Amino acid sequence: MMPEILLQYEAEIWRSIGETFIMVGVAILAAILVGLPVGTLLYLCRKGHLLENKAVFSTVNLLVNTIRSFPFLLLVVFLIPFTRLIIGTAIGTAAATVPMAIIAIAHYSRLVEQSLLDVPKGIIEAAVSMGASVREVVFRFLYVESRSGLVLGLTTSTISFVSYSTIMGVVGGGGIGDFAIRYGYQQFQTELMMYMIVVMVILVQFIQFTGTTVSRMIDKR
Amino acid sequence: MIRLHQVSKRFGDSEAVKPVSLTVKQGEIYGVIGASGAGKSTLLRLMNVLEMPDQGRVEVNGQDLTSLKGRKLRDARKSIGMIFQHFNLVANKTVYDNIAVSLQLAGYPGKERRKRVIECLQFVGLESYISKYPAQLSGGQKQRVAIARALANHPDVLLCDEPTSSLDPNTTAEVLRVLEDINKRLGVTIVIVSHQMGVIKSLCNTVTVMADGGIYETISQKPAGVRDVDHNPQYFVDQLVQDGETGP
């Protein structure tokens, strides 16, 4: 049966799990919708690649590095004015998704770039020799050949997003980590804190297992 | 069919190809041989402007490729097939999809795609491998799939960059026979770059010897034909002993 302490906080626990899912979910969406194109742009603009462009590469590269070098807590604080501009408030789960999305884009775009760099250059050459446009090279060759790496990268990123989400309590974002700190740590309910850690471990295991399985299934190399 | 007018290419400080002019005639098999670093692969890549020449003009089928850009250049490339030493198949696509993609790029009507893919696979003798992945094929089979891919779009020219250099003698013969067939039965003009004398001798009508990025000499010859390779172990022994000496 469920330990009593979990029953006692059941509603809050479910709510905090929901908040974590929202924050991580938005981060995953941002990673796929923006991080993937940004990572592809980094790859394409690199020296010796299809759209070689030093200015674009250096700018995007610097931006990605800068975002990733912020301690995440400071990035959240730093982004408060921007968050307020977009969401209308800097407090709450919705507001917390803004810094989550920003770090997600920077994090995943780098992993995308790495995965694409693993695609043998000969394949790109073959594609170009067949008369493929840059767009066709990306969608019909690059993404097909790097798909297992892209999935593994997204898995690694997602697990980082879960970790990032735990400190969103500072702007009232809630989530499992915030719940564990406020109810478990700050109110000296160590048992409750441990249970929350177990929830996080299970979540991360599940993400990793799913990612590894999917990536293996689609890898025919 | 292919005309290079004083084309040259530099990579940084090194001159990969010095100003070179040559003509490949319609329907012939043209060989380029030379030591590694002689510029033969670069020369081949200039023929479909995979490498844009610094100077000079590249003319294929009466079209000046060096003056083309964007869509027009991509369209021109669709009638120039190319195969590579390392095959360059997409490992995550089946044999079918590897060939079909070249038809998709060319805007080949969807309904006829499957028929054309099967036709090409029959030509290289691999129709039963249609749903396999490249990792399940031998080197020779991979190269034949690459040839089928290059043929799918009815090219006028087939460029071959060291097509047999990572294959063993048996599969080399198998690939060379397919190339010979393509030239004879389909009338496709072929350019082969190789450092293997046997390959050049067995197939080519005209051979250019390259050295230091330039043409050393161009000669006409009668192709010797593709020789059968014996699977018998005694064949290897005979080959070893042929030169009259065996070790201690």
Side-chain angles (χ1 to χ4, degrees), chain A residues 76 79-81 83-85 87-96 170-173:
Chain A
V76 174
L79 284 175
I80 283 177
T83 304
R84 199 171 281 139
L85 192 75
I87 306 285
T89 170
I91 304 292
T93 307
V170 287
V171 290

Side-chain angles (χ1 to χ4, degrees), chain B residues 15-18 33-43 209-214:
Chain B
E15 199 167 25
V17 174
K18 292 173 185 163
I33 193 165
S36 55
K40 46 190 195 311
S41 277
T42 309
L43 187 74
V209 181
M210 281 191 83
D212 297 326

Side-chain angles (χ1 to χ4, degrees), chain A residues 80-122:
Chain A
I80 283 177
F82 179 69
T83 304
R84 199 171 281 139
L85 192 75
I86 291 187
I87 306 285
T89 170
I91 304 292
T93 307
T97 60
V98 174
M100 286 293 295
I102 302 277
I103 194 68
I105 293 164
H107 197 275
Y108 190 51
S109 63
R110 189 57 87 200
L111 297 184
V112 167
E113 184 199 14
Q114 301 298 333
S115 290
L116 298 182
L117 284 170
D118 284 340
V119 175
K121 266 193 134 178

Side-chain angles (χ1 to χ4, degrees), chain B residues 192-212:
Chain B
I192 301 182
V193 160
S194 180
H195 65 267
Q196 296 169 305
M197 188 52 86
V199 170
I200 299 292
K201 272 193 157 173
S202 58
L203 289 183
C204 303
N205 314 101
T206 311
V207 182
T208 284
V209 181
M210 281 191 83
D212 297 326

